[in-house]
Amino acid sequence: MLNNYILIAWRQLFKNKLYTTINMLGLVTGLTVYLFGTLLVDYEENHDAFYKNFERIFTVGTVFSPTANIGVSQDPSIYSGFTPFIKAEVEEIESIARTIHRKFLLTVGDDNYYQDIRFADPALLTIFDLDYIEGNSDALKEPEGVLLSENTARKLFGSTSVIGELITLDHKTTLHVTAVFKNLPRNTHFNSALIGGLEFEVVAPLTALNKAADWDLAGNFNNLSSGNYTYILLPAAKTLSWLQTQMDNIWKKHLNEDHKEFVTGLKVLPLAKANTFIWSMIGLPIMESIKLLAIMVLVIAIVNYTNLATAQSLSRAREVGLRKTMGADKKQLLAQFLIEGLVIAFISMFIAMAILEIIIPLFNNLTEKSLQINYLHTLPWLLATTTIVGLVAGAYPAYMVTRVKPIEALRDAGASGVKGSLFRSVMLGLQFSISIFILATVLIVYFQNKKVQDAGDIYPRSQIITLQRLDVEEIQNKLDSLKNELKKIPGVSHVSYSSDLPYRQGNSSFTAGPVLGNKDLSFLLKQLSVDEDFLSTYEIPLIAGRALSRDYSADIFLKDMLAINVVLNQLAIEKLGYASANEALGKTFYDFPNSREPRAYTIKGVTPTQNFVGFHNANKPMVFYLRPSFFDYASVRVSHQDLSETLVLIEETWDRVITDYPIQTSFLDKVFNDMFRIFDTMMKSLGLFAAVALILSLIGLFGLAAFMAQSRTKEIGIRKVMGANMLQIISLLIIQFSKPVMWALLIALPLAYFASEQYLNFFSDRITMQAVIIAMAGLISILFAWLIVGIHAIRIATANPIKALRYE
Amino acid sequence: MLKMHNLSKLYRTNDIETIALNCINIEIDTGEFVAIMGPSGCGKSTLLNIIGMLDTASEGQYFFNDEDISNHSESQLSQIRKRNIGFIFQSFNLIDELNVSENIELALLYHDMAKKERKDRVAQIMDKVGIAHRAKHMPSQLSGGQQQRVAVARAVVGNQKLILADEPTGNLDSAHGQEVMEMLQGLNSEGTTIVMVTHSPTHSDYARRTINLFDGHVVTENLRATG
Ligand SMILES: Nc1ncnc2c1ncn2[C@@H]1O[C@H](COP(=O)(O)OP(=O)(O)OP(=O)(O)O)[C@@H](O)[C@H]1O
Ligand SMILES: [Mg+2]
């Protein structure tokens, strides 16, 4: 019997090819997107599970006050100063290890490489079990030891048996290799594709950092950087909430009161969250969004199937009527339709899996991830999904058809055309609600991102080549001659040094106030150490006063000076309480240091308020001062035409002036794009979902319109005989299909408004045309719907009416 | 009223060519009641459809009110058709989703006419064909004879001067058939031209002239003595 059903279902597939194609296309696309989304989220949320202690490892992060105005609400790391206290006071903890990233120039023999090194407490190797090729987990106990990954060992030495080989950091500190470990798999947060630049290739003890860069082993309370995780290993009996309580106490006890206004707590997280934490950090629920979108697309696909199957089943009413008169009972018919749904669902699932097998390796290559379908593991889930999709999709059409009375079905197939049309309209409405919703949110994201990107154009970023990592004494000593030489290169118009670059998410600031010793009116002031050419290089205008210059001795900020001249931005002037830039000139403000005399800053110039760190942050009050030998970056402004040619000349010049350290360059455009990458990726993936959702809905509408048009040919024939012209027929059909789309608009637009509100809240400088853009999404959907229905309408409106009436 | 000169109709489907009409020459005057008869497949419906401008001839000329319409466009034909011609079909062809009065009103919907006037005309015509008490019924709730009366009402509600009926009694029993024939006769006596396809000799007797078709040819034309 079952065989017979499957056979009938199989034949049915080939009977109506348009119907089958549309249905399969929809289900395959829906399933592919759904499976892919689910696999991706599953992958991102299940990093690190292969470590032996996975379930007992925790990280501690920092929670910021909303008034901190630093663009993020949390950070996955804590001040390194906490760890000695935790170690001393929370005895139950098995191990705790800090990690600090720092870039160094590595010298091996005659070769130099810039390399990000992860410095850590020795306990790191107790917490994480690495696969050692050489050496063992004691490798970090050697104060001048260093661990290399298999890759790095081969890169530096061409071999993995390199115990005892020497590596020099910044020509100064020499370490010897104590262990080589197997490359970490991609699915660990150490290799996270979400947070860039945190590679786990070279690992050295913090004592080495102390030697190489004077890093205080007691840690500090003024430096946070997202990659610098602190890991804690708990005994099996202790829970996350227990650790949270301990951390709350540590925070209370060891953070000074002023600081608590800014850092409002510590937050314990399981290691499992380390990979996706970046999303919580910037406050965007990306993983949840992907899950939701994947399900939405699948729902659209199922609705497509249900709608088309119902519409089509009506044209089979005659067949069903015949079967019934010949003795088929309800159950058998029900089974037949459900099995048809299942057969289509299983075939679609099969095709979707095949597509995934092609897509996933490409995706892995592109994104450096290692997604894979673990069939053994996912089979029950796949089977369940397919069965549910098949049953849900087949249920309504099955019910519809079996309800038809045999006489009705035989007497007049046309009459049953109205039945179920309410259901189909509701389904169509649902489908369009989802598509319009997704489309609207995507457009909002797109326009907001475009705004951020355009706003980034205040600085001539496409013309600037940056030179990085100048914070080494040897280089600082040669900055003047380097600048002179660089300026000689044709095509170079400006050269400037600074402690930070536009768009970098640096956050160096100090507390400042207009009254000496009175903190009441104080505020956080972002500081930037620049040279005299910075404003002109970046085209930052002055609205009052003058730029800083080496001609005035008070303009040059040397160590221990207690009165200096500075340039502020407009926002800082306002924070200080001055009504205008001119009024502020010559006025003085102060800082509030802990361990030295306060310094007086005299305002010599004022710039407009510009968003130096990029537009997802709020504008900040800013101070520029001339502080020689505090420069990390050079900005070389180049005329457009010969950028790469100029780059070669810049490199030659560098090599001539600075012999010990290789050049590190990057286009400012790239700095900007790195900052922007998260939004960009998000937009692209959202865009993909939106396109799929909309196309699926349109395919569904196309199929449905085809069937409806067909079932109305008689009526339209009559209307034509009565003298209706083409336009009247077309508008009749379009109006019929517009109703569910209009309902969809009513539902989707407010929801889209609400959702986009959540996203836009994230930006300080929001797009203003939110409502217009959302309305535009609605309009686009309607136009597409009209276009598709219109095509069918034109087709039947131009057909000869007599054909429709003849074959009644 | 209409005149056909050497009119032919050819159907071409894949490799089979069917000559449905072959060199037809007929003339029908205003006020006539003409029956078209002939065996199944001889081209009666085809001829009627061409007369009604639902279909166009492959060759020959067709004059409607002395106007050669052989080369008129679809929309020109549609204009002439909706002012002058009413149709009655064997299978009634009422719209299932509309009730009786709405089905009749459909024929006026595509004329420029005020709503009030439309309603009046529909009410009038429903009285005339005796279907007024069923105005709100759906077609599926009516008997075949009643449905055909609605179709007749719809055919004449726009004051059409020519009524084309393709086996209007084909689906009806003899009593209902009779009823419909009398209604057509009544319309004819008021001046409406009627062209009707029928298989029934009894019903062709209502007509004053019978055109016999065979294999796409006009074989005979019988004129009945009036009275
Ligand atoms: N659309 C078409 N395509 C091909 N051949 C057609 C088409 N319409 C009609 N014919 C053929 O033209 C010929 C005449 O058909 P027509 O419908 O006019 O016959 P009829 O006299 O009305 O027959 P009946 O009394 O059975 O209704 C037939 O042989 C028919 O098969
Ligand atoms: Mg016929």
Side-chain angles (χ1 to χ4, degrees):
Chain A
M1 197 66 201
L2 189 68
N3 269 341
N4 183 26
Y5 286 147
I6 294 179
L7 195 72
I8 293 174
W10 185 258
R11 286 198 187 134
Q12 193 63 37
L13 290 184
F14 290 95
K15 222 173 91 182
N16 191 337
K17 296 210 178 64
L18 174 75
Y19 162 79
T20 307
T21 313
I22 289 179
N23 254 342
M24 293 278 230
L25 206 67
L27 269 191
V28 167
T29 319
L31 281 170
T32 309
V33 169
Y34 171 74
L35 293 179
F36 185 75
T38 314
L39 283 172
L40 180 63
V41 171
D42 190 60
Y43 172 80
E44 296 294 357
E45 288 183 343
N46 283 295
H47 273 42
D48 300 303
F50 56 87
Y51 290 113
K52 202 174 68 214
N53 298 328
F54 172 63
E55 310 228 308
R56 298 197 284 133
I57 304 174
F58 297 85
T59 64
V60 194
T62 302
V63 182
F64 300 113
S65 135
T67 55
N69 188 17
I70 52 170
V72 295
S73 58
Q74 303 179 42
D75 191 283
S77 62
I78 54 171
Y79 292 119
S80 50
F82 278 121
T83 299
F85 293 118
I86 299 174
K87 213 176 196 165
E89 293 169 29
V90 193
E91 290 157 3
E92 293 90 338
I93 285 179
E94 255 184 54
S95 305
I96 178 166
R98 299 168 285 186
T99 58
I100 305 278
H101 282 272
R102 204 55 87 75
K103 205 170 231 181
F104 277 97
L105 181 72
L106 298 193
T107 310
V108 173
D110 293 333
D111 299 325
N112 293 319
Y113 311 87
Y114 279 109
Q115 174 69 46
D116 185 77
I117 302 180
R118 195 179 280 252
F119 295 94
D121 287 315
L124 185 75
L125 301 185
T126 322
I127 300 174
F128 293 99
D129 51 314
L130 304 180
D131 251 343
Y132 297 96
I133 299 173
E134 300 278 326
N136 56 39
S137 61
D138 289 335
L140 283 180
K141 290 185 179 150
E142 192 72 43
E144 285 161 24
V146 59
L147 284 85
L148 300 180
S149 72
E150 189 184 341
N151 261 349
T152 314
R154 285 192 203 284
K155 186 177 97 183
L156 298 181
F157 300 103
S159 139
T160 55
S161 16
V162 292
I163 298 284
E165 295 280 358
L166 300 183
I167 294 175
T168 310
L169 309 190
D170 280 0
H171 300 302
K172 221 165 55 184
T173 313
T174 301
L175 307 178
H176 58 270
V177 179
T178 49
V180 177
F181 56 90
K182 281 223 170 94
N183 294 327
L184 296 182
R186 278 169 170 179
N187 58 341
T188 164
H189 75 286
F190 290 123
N191 282 339
S192 176
L194 299 180
I195 314 170
L198 300 184
E199 64 242 61
F200 195 85
E201 298 290 336
V202 178
V203 187
L206 282 168
T207 45
L209 184 59
N210 169 265
K211 266 196 97 177
D214 250 351
W215 193 81
D216 186 352
L217 285 172
N220 60 59
F221 284 94
N222 49 35
N223 208 328
L224 268 186
S225 164
S226 304
N228 294 345
Y229 287 89
T230 297
Y231 303 96
I232 292 179
L233 181 65
L234 287 188
K238 296 294 182 195
T239 63
L240 184 146
S241 57
W242 172 83
L243 184 58
Q244 183 64 58
T245 318
Q246 306 303 312
M247 291 304 115
D248 291 345
N249 290 334
I250 293 283
W251 172 81
K252 232 177 261 161
K253 210 163 141 193
H254 297 291
L255 198 65
N256 81 41
E257 290 306 314
D258 281 351
H259 214 145
K260 280 180 186 161
E261 285 171 22
F262 175 66
V263 169
T264 55
L266 304 183
K267 185 172 179 185
V268 179
L269 290 162
L271 182 62
K273 281 256 183 283
N275 185 55
T276 50
F277 187 76
I278 182 154
W279 303 118
S280 328
M281 186 176 137
I282 59 177
L284 288 174
I286 290 300
M287 291 295 140
E288 290 74 10
S289 303
I290 293 181
K291 273 189 234 173
L292 187 72
L293 285 171
I295 290 176
M296 279 180 162
V297 169
L298 185 62
V299 167
I300 290 185
I302 293 178
V303 168
N304 256 1
Y305 178 90
T306 311
N307 258 348
L308 287 175
T310 320
Q312 207 253 352
S313 67
L314 293 171
S315 64
R316 285 169 69 184
R318 205 178 284 270
E319 169 205 328
V320 172
L322 271 171
R323 280 176 192 279
K324 275 188 176 173
T325 36
M326 290 189 288
D329 73 16
K330 234 187 178 139
K331 259 188 246 152
Q332 289 168 324
L333 288 170
L334 211 66
Q336 189 194 322
F337 273 81
L338 286 179
I339 284 171
E340 258 182 58
L342 284 174
V343 166
I344 290 202
F346 270 94
I347 297 175
S348 304
M349 179 61 98
F350 197 74
I351 301 175
M353 300 302 294
I355 293 176
L356 282 182
E357 284 293 344
I358 298 169
I359 289 180
I360 286 180
L362 295 176
F363 178 79
N364 282 342
N365 263 341
L366 211 70
T367 56
E368 302 196 339
K369 292 179 197 286
S370 60
L371 255 73
Q372 54 179 359
I373 312 174
N374 181 342
Y375 286 98
L376 213 61
H377 176 71
T378 51
L379 198 65
W381 171 67
L382 287 178
L383 284 178
T385 308
T386 317
T387 311
I388 291 170
V389 167
L391 289 181
V392 169
Y396 189 77
Y399 165 74
M400 266 308 294
V401 160
T402 48
R403 227 185 35 165
V404 173
K405 292 204 186 80
I407 317 164
E408 284 175 20
L410 288 180
R411 206 184 67 180
D412 193 357
S416 47
V418 260
K419 288 200 189 104
S421 70
L422 178 68
F423 175 84
R424 282 196 299 276
S425 295
V426 170
M427 288 290 116
L428 198 65
L430 172 70
Q431 222 175 17
F432 265 84
S433 303
I434 296 178
S435 328
I436 294 170
F437 172 82
I438 299 181
L439 184 67
T441 36
V442 165
L443 283 183
I444 290 285
V445 171
Y446 172 79
F447 280 107
Q448 177 63 43
N449 286 4
K450 189 159 158 34
K451 175 159 190 151
V452 171
Q453 199 140 26
D454 291 347
D457 291 342
I458 45 168
Y459 303 119
R461 60 187 156 93
S462 58
Q463 301 172 34
I464 288 184
I465 295 173
T466 68
L467 312 183
Q468 301 176 356
R469 216 174 164 273
L470 308 182
D471 55 330
V472 199
E473 218 181 303
E474 288 90 324
I475 302 180
Q476 294 285 325
N477 292 337
K478 293 177 183 166
L479 287 181
D480 282 342
S481 49
L482 179 65
K483 188 188 255 189
N484 285 334
E485 293 301 311
L486 287 173
K487 274 186 163 170
K488 286 181 192 158
I489 300 173
V492 169
S493 60
H494 300 74
V495 177
S496 165
Y497 297 118
S498 57
S499 60
D500 210 341
L501 291 173
Y503 318 123
R504 269 183 39 87
Q505 303 302 294
N507 202 27
S508 174
S509 49
F510 65 90
T511 310
V515 185
L516 181 64
N518 183 350
K519 257 188 164 177
D520 289 350
L521 294 170
S522 71
F523 57 96
L524 266 183
L525 185 59
K526 181 175 169 62
Q527 57 183 340
L528 196 67
S529 160
V530 297
D531 70 2
E532 63 280 7
D533 296 319
F534 190 81
L535 297 186
S536 58
T537 303
Y538 282 98
E539 289 176 3
I540 301 173
L542 282 164
I543 50 180
R546 60 168 176 84
L548 299 173
S549 150
R550 291 216 231 181
D551 300 341
Y552 304 86
S553 64
D555 283 9
I556 304 169
F557 182 0
L558 299 173
K559 202 172 182 314
D560 301 331
M561 271 171 68
L562 289 179
I564 59 163
N565 293 338
V566 297
V567 168
L568 292 185
N569 70 356
Q570 173 77 28
L571 187 59
I573 297 294
E574 285 161 19
K575 289 262 182 189
L576 286 169
Y578 300 110
S580 75
N582 280 316
E583 186 191 329
L585 291 180
K587 301 288 192 321
T588 303
F589 64 92
Y590 306 91
D591 60 9
F592 304 90
N594 293 324
S595 52
R596 59 164 168 80
E597 289 294 297
R599 185 176 291 134
Y601 300 83
T602 305
I603 304 165
K604 288 292 173 190
V606 180
T607 72
T609 307
Q610 294 180 335
N611 208 325
F612 196 74
V613 278
F615 275 74
H616 56 290
N617 301 280
N619 279 318
K620 289 172 189 174
M622 252 181 101
V623 59
F624 300 89
Y625 48 72
L626 273 187
R627 190 169 193 181
S629 67
F630 262 77
F631 300 134
D632 296 312
Y633 301 95
S635 306
V636 182
R637 185 152 167 200
V638 173
S639 61
H640 259 306
Q641 303 80 19
D642 41 12
L643 215 58
S644 50
E645 201 176 306
T646 316
L647 186 59
V648 174
L649 295 174
I650 291 174
E651 284 170 354
E652 282 172 15
T653 310
W654 173 283
D655 287 342
R656 215 169 344 108
V657 180
I658 305 198
T659 44
D660 289 348
Y661 291 82
I663 189 169
Q664 267 219 301
T665 61
S666 168
F667 294 104
L668 189 61
D669 252 343
K670 187 176 175 306
V671 175
F672 177 81
N673 288 334
D674 283 350
M675 180 278 287
F676 199 70
R677 197 183 54 198
I678 285 177
F679 302 103
D680 203 46
T681 316
M682 193 169 70
M683 194 172 81
K684 281 183 185 137
S685 39
L686 270 177
L688 201 69
F689 275 114
V692 170
L694 195 65
I695 288 172
L696 277 184
S697 297
L698 291 176
I699 289 177
L701 184 67
F702 180 84
L704 203 56
F707 277 112
M708 294 315 282
Q710 203 174 43
S711 71
R712 292 183 71 173
T713 39
K714 176 189 161 196
E715 177 201 332
I716 286 160
I718 296 172
R719 285 182 189 272
K720 281 190 78 175
V721 170
M722 295 299 141
N725 63 28
M726 208 167 109
L727 221 63
Q728 286 161 326
I729 299 284
I730 293 172
S731 57
L732 181 79
L733 285 171
I734 284 184
I735 286 168
Q736 186 202 0
F737 275 98
S738 296
K739 272 188 210 148
V741 178
M742 295 294 173
W743 278 109
L745 282 180
L746 275 184
I747 296 167
L749 295 189
L751 284 178
Y753 189 87
F754 176 77
S756 60
E757 199 60 14
Q758 305 305 305
Y759 181 70
L760 292 179
N761 275 342
F762 182 72
F763 296 90
S764 58
D765 191 22
R766 308 171 30 145
I767 41 174
T768 47
M769 312 234 293
Q770 187 183 358
V772 178
I773 291 169
I774 290 177
M776 207 162 83
L779 197 67
I780 291 175
S781 315
I782 292 188
L783 287 182
F784 269 119
W786 280 352
L787 186 72
I788 286 201
V789 176
I791 290 169
H792 287 293
I794 288 171
R795 200 164 52 89
I796 36 175
T798 50
N800 191 340
I802 207 62
K803 288 210 175 102
L805 301 181
R806 217 189 118 86
Y807 298 109
E808 266 304 305
Chain B
M1 171 165 241
L2 60 90
K3 190 175 151 195
M4 299 185 150
H5 183 66
N6 285 345
L7 190 128
S8 297
K9 176 71 183 179
L10 208 79
Y11 284 115
R12 209 173 269 123
T13 34
N14 297 331
D15 33 30
I16 309 165
E17 255 185 27
T18 314
I19 302 172
L21 295 175
N22 196 352
C23 262
I24 300 279
N25 287 294
I26 44 176
E27 202 166 328
I28 295 174
D29 292 329
T30 307
E32 270 198 288
F33 191 152
V34 180
I36 301 175
M37 295 190 73
S40 191
C42 68
K44 304 183 293 295
S45 299
T46 308
L47 178 60
L48 207 63
N49 288 340
I50 292 175
I51 293 175
M53 303 167 202
L54 295 173
D55 208 348
T56 47
S58 322
E59 257 173 65
Q61 285 164 305
Y62 175 19
F63 297 90
F64 190 84
N65 285 339
D66 298 326
E67 189 181 355
D68 184 358
I69 60 153
S70 316
N71 295 315
H72 274 33
S73 73
E74 160 93 32
S75 69
Q76 282 171 310
L77 292 178
S78 161
Q79 286 301 324
I80 299 176
R81 188 169 64 216
K82 84 176 167 197
R83 268 180 233 316
N84 298 293
I85 308 175
F87 294 87
I88 302 169
F89 302 93
Q90 176 177 358
S91 55
F92 322 137
N93 276 333
L94 302 177
I95 293 180
D96 306 304
E97 291 83 13
L98 302 180
N99 68 25
V100 167
S101 64
E102 287 163 348
N103 259 298
I104 298 173
E105 195 182 345
L106 196 66
L108 301 176
L109 212 54
Y110 302 108
H111 292 71
D112 282 328
M113 195 179 284
K115 186 163 182 158
K116 168 107 184 31
E117 197 190 340
R118 279 207 313 258
K119 297 279 179 218
D120 289 349
R121 294 269 287 270
V122 171
Q124 249 173 31
I125 205 80
M126 281 196 300
D127 269 341
K128 191 167 166 189
V129 302
I131 201 82
H133 58 296
R134 302 278 179 171
K136 294 282 170 277
H137 281 58
M138 303 308 275
S140 57
Q141 296 166 319
L142 300 178
S143 75
Q146 287 167 332
Q147 288 191 45
Q148 197 61 302
R149 265 190 274 163
V150 176
V152 172
R154 188 180 61 182
V156 297
V157 68
N159 276 334
Q160 282 84 349
K161 291 283 161 309
L162 172 63
I163 292 199
L164 304 177
D166 195 345
E167 299 184 43
T169 55
N171 281 5
L172 301 176
D173 63 35
S174 56
H176 280 116
Q178 189 91 6
E179 216 172 77
V180 170
M181 287 317 298
E182 273 160 17
M183 216 150 63
L184 289 179
Q185 201 176 34
L187 288 170
N188 180 242
S189 63
E190 286 166 23
T192 311
T193 314
I194 294 176
V195 181
M196 173 183 76
V197 169
T198 182
H199 282 289
S200 153
T202 346
H203 293 160
S204 69
D205 284 351
Y206 284 85
R208 248 180 296 156
R209 182 152 68 110
T210 305
I211 299 173
N212 287 302
L213 284 185
F214 185 79
D215 226 2
H217 293 280
V218 177
V219 201
T220 49
E221 287 192 50
N222 310 329
L223 206 60
R224 278 166 50 87
T226 20

